[in-house]
Amino acid sequence: MGVIPAFVARMEKKVSTNIYLVAYYSRQYREVILNEVSLAGINSRDLVLNIGCGGIPYTALSIASYTGARVCAIDRDEEAIRAAHRCIKSLKMGDKVTALAGDGSDNLPVKFDVAIVALQAEPKKEVLENLIMQSKPGARLIFRSPRHKSLNQYDSLPVAPVPSAKINQNKTTFNYSVLYEVPLNGPKCQNLGQITSVCS
Ligand SMILES: C[S@@+](CC[C@H](N)C(=O)[O-])C[C@H]1O[C@@H](n2cnc3c(N)ncnc32)[C@H](O)[C@@H]1O
């Protein structure tokens, strides 16, 4: 993990119950998340899986607040999950957002309609292949694409499959969120580029 993501992960765990800092932090990502809600067409009937929620699960909390969707947030760092529980509880969002320990490249806890993956998540290729493999037909997958100058800090997206859409994001560390759509007839090869390992 790069120095910046390691610092952010540690900081989120420390301030997760300070609701003023959480609100400030979340505001910095408001436009990003509204863009992603629009890119994936997230609505209140969707079950959303957020991978890499950290100690301040602002992506999960914001999606639940903006759309009414239920969100299951996972992180492979158990200490981050304990901090995320405290954060969710202090904001009284427990009816909409659940935090669980788990790795995005391993068994996933829910059958999601939409998955949204943190910029810091790694390895992105394995996480993407795993999501596709465990997706329902018609699922939508959102990843954040690091800027070229940030590739020493964040894992890049694989060259294949090619996303079906993307939206500009005006952040220092990433400039796009991208959308992968799992076809309604399931994760078949022809629409998902080179991921032959998931072809059934
Ligand atoms: C510091 S957080 C930032 C996310 C932010 N709080 C949000 O709401 O979008 C990034 C987290 O991703 C987690 N992470 C990285 N790779 C992961 C993976 N493969 N599966 C699950 N969590 C992962 C790290 O443990 C870290 O806590």
Side-chain angles (χ1 to χ4, degrees):
M1 195 194 282
V3 182
I4 298 171
F7 171 78
V8 170
R10 210 168 39 249
M11 186 273 295
E12 286 197 16
K13 286 184 273 191
K14 280 198 186 315
V15 302
S16 69
T17 52
N18 182 324
I19 55 170
Y20 301 105
L21 276 176
V22 172
Y24 171 79
Y25 204 79
S26 302
R27 267 201 308 277
Q28 310 309 309
Y29 284 85
R30 183 182 152 78
E31 286 307 313
V32 164
I33 293 162
L34 285 173
N35 282 342
E36 292 170 340
V37 164
S38 140
L39 182 64
I42 303 173
N43 63 57
S44 60
R45 294 181 304 281
D46 286 322
L47 174 56
V48 178
L49 175 66
N50 175 217
I51 292 174
C53 64
I56 301 180
Y58 62 81
T59 298
L61 291 164
S62 302
I63 288 174
S65 305
Y66 301 156
T67 68
R70 284 173 304 129
V71 185
C72 175
I74 69 169
D75 201 293
R76 62 185 180 182
D77 175 352
E78 298 207 356
E79 195 189 334
I81 288 297
R82 284 194 290 277
H85 280 149
R86 294 194 291 273
C87 182
I88 292 163
K89 194 171 168 202
S90 62
L91 293 170
K92 300 185 173 52
M93 288 290 287
D95 57 331
K96 282 289 181 194
V97 181
T98 310
L100 299 172
D103 192 310
S105 58
D106 204 340
N107 278 338
L108 301 172
V110 288
K111 280 281 168 216
F112 54 88
D113 302 291
V114 178
I116 181 156
V117 180
L119 177 67
Q120 295 88 340
E122 57 185 25
K124 288 211 174 54
K125 181 173 185 290
E126 282 77 357
V127 171
L128 176 58
E129 289 184 0
N130 189 44
L131 284 171
I132 291 169
M133 205 149 46
Q134 297 188 47
S135 278
K136 294 201 259 193
R140 295 97 80 199
L141 317 174
I142 299 264
F143 281 68
R144 294 170 183 161
S145 177
R147 285 185 189 272
H148 189 69
K149 65 172 187 186
S150 302
L151 287 175
N152 59 343
Q153 297 291 324
Y154 305 101
D155 194 21
S156 57
L157 291 173
V159 286
V162 176
S164 55
K166 65 181 185 180
I167 194 160
N168 285 336
Q169 299 285 23
N170 188 20
K171 300 302 280 183
T172 322
T173 49
F174 63 101
N175 49 354
Y176 292 106
S177 293
V178 303
L179 172 71
Y180 301 93
E181 292 172 288
V182 177
L184 284 170
N185 59 353
K188 296 271 165 52
C189 308
Q190 67 272 22
N191 291 320
L192 289 168
Q194 302 304 310
I195 301 187
T196 47
S197 59
V198 302
C199 298
S200 52

